Amino acid sequence: MLADTDALILIDIQNDFCPGGALAVADGDAVVEPANALAAHFGTVVLTQDWHPAGHRSFASAHPGRRTFDMVQMPYGPQMLWPDHCVQGTTGAAFHPGLAPAVEKAQLIVRKGFRPLIDSYSAFFENDRVTPTGLAGALRERGVQRLYLAGLATDYCVAYSATDAARLGFETLIVEDACRAIDLHGSLAASRRDWTAAGVRSVGLADVLVLAAPLASVA
Ligand code: VGL
Ligand code: ZN
């Protein structure tokens, strides 16, 4: 059974990360229905929304002479340069229209990446890994102890969020078949090593939905 101390965090299920979007993840829209199915079973549902000002420093367009997917050194460490994406107020930054049931259910929407000079993959910290978003406090105040994560992209925002969650002391599970990856230069395998070392576990969508089903419907 899922408990009152469980929460679902749906990461960045936005148009720009879905097919046709500015930073499309292959098959990204395949996470929409699983996300809605999960949301129906959780008391606490949190959404994250990548939310960049135009001209954000994580955009390759803000670095003349650099190209998309180049790595650069930022004051806080190495940073990959992305195509312009999830610009505040644009259709690309909006949640996928199919996510409406989960959006309606959600109690908290955490926007991230809104500071012009610093990127934020994690739902918990900016990419300096020290500036908090406030989400950990919000979850603790609600008595949440265990987190299930799903969404986009497995190897960036989902992985960073999960690794931080485990370090912050939450029991953390990634619903991996309700996620899709960018997978550049082996980033998916590398991120799996990182989250496993942090104590994050992977779980299948079907297993979570079975856990969530009331016993009466199994009989
Ligand atoms: C993401 C790259 C840049 C993500 C966000 O949601 O995984 N990746 N911004
Ligand atoms: Zn971004």
Side-chain angles (χ1 to χ4, degrees):
M1 276 288 279
L2 294 172
D4 289 345
T5 50
D6 291 333
L8 175 68
I9 306 187
L10 297 175
I11 306 285
D12 297 4
I13 307 180
Q14 296 167 257
N15 289 322
D16 269 343
F17 297 122
C18 291
L23 180 41
V25 178
D27 205 25
D29 53 349
V31 309
V32 171
E33 283 319 311
N36 289 328
L38 287 164
H41 291 289
F42 281 81
T44 300
V45 178
V46 177
L47 308 179
T48 70
Q49 192 170 23
D50 212 37
W51 196 248
H52 299 304
H56 191 262
R57 287 297 282 174
S58 75
F59 296 170
S61 60
H63 300 258
R66 298 290 192 157
R67 282 190 292 191
T68 301
F69 308 125
D70 281 355
M71 292 295 292
V72 294
Q73 204 57 36
M74 298 282 221
Y76 52 84
Q79 170 71 47
M80 179 163 294
L81 296 181
W82 303 105
D84 291 22
H85 66 279
C86 296
V87 173
Q88 296 169 2
T90 62
T91 304
F95 292 115
H96 186 288
L99 194 68
V103 175
E104 193 174 309
K105 175 88 183 257
Q107 296 92 357
L108 193 61
I109 299 176
V110 177
R111 287 177 167 166
K112 59 186 183 61
F114 52 78
R115 291 184 174 87
L117 301 181
I118 183 166
D119 206 3
S120 182
Y121 296 150
S122 168
F124 296 94
F125 295 104
E126 309 279 338
N127 278 11
D128 62 6
R129 311 310 290 264
V130 295
T131 306
T133 62
L135 178 58
L139 293 171
R140 286 185 185 128
E141 287 195 18
R142 286 159 209 241
V144 171
Q145 296 172 0
R146 183 165 54 192
L147 302 178
Y148 291 79
L149 279 79
L152 304 169
T154 320
D155 42 346
Y156 286 93
C157 292
V158 176
Y160 274 65
S161 299
T163 303
D164 285 344
R167 288 202 189 112
L168 288 163
F170 295 99
E171 184 184 347
T172 308
L173 297 105
I174 295 181
V175 190
E176 236 188 296
D177 50 354
C179 299
R180 290 293 182 277
I182 295 174
D183 203 12
L184 270 176
H185 314 304
S187 56
L188 179 57
S191 67
R192 190 176 283 117
R193 280 194 294 275
D194 288 347
W195 85 57
T196 303
V200 175
R201 287 179 296 141
S202 186
V203 65
L205 174 66
D207 294 322
V208 183
L209 294 179
V210 165
L211 268 180
L215 286 178
S217 71
V218 175

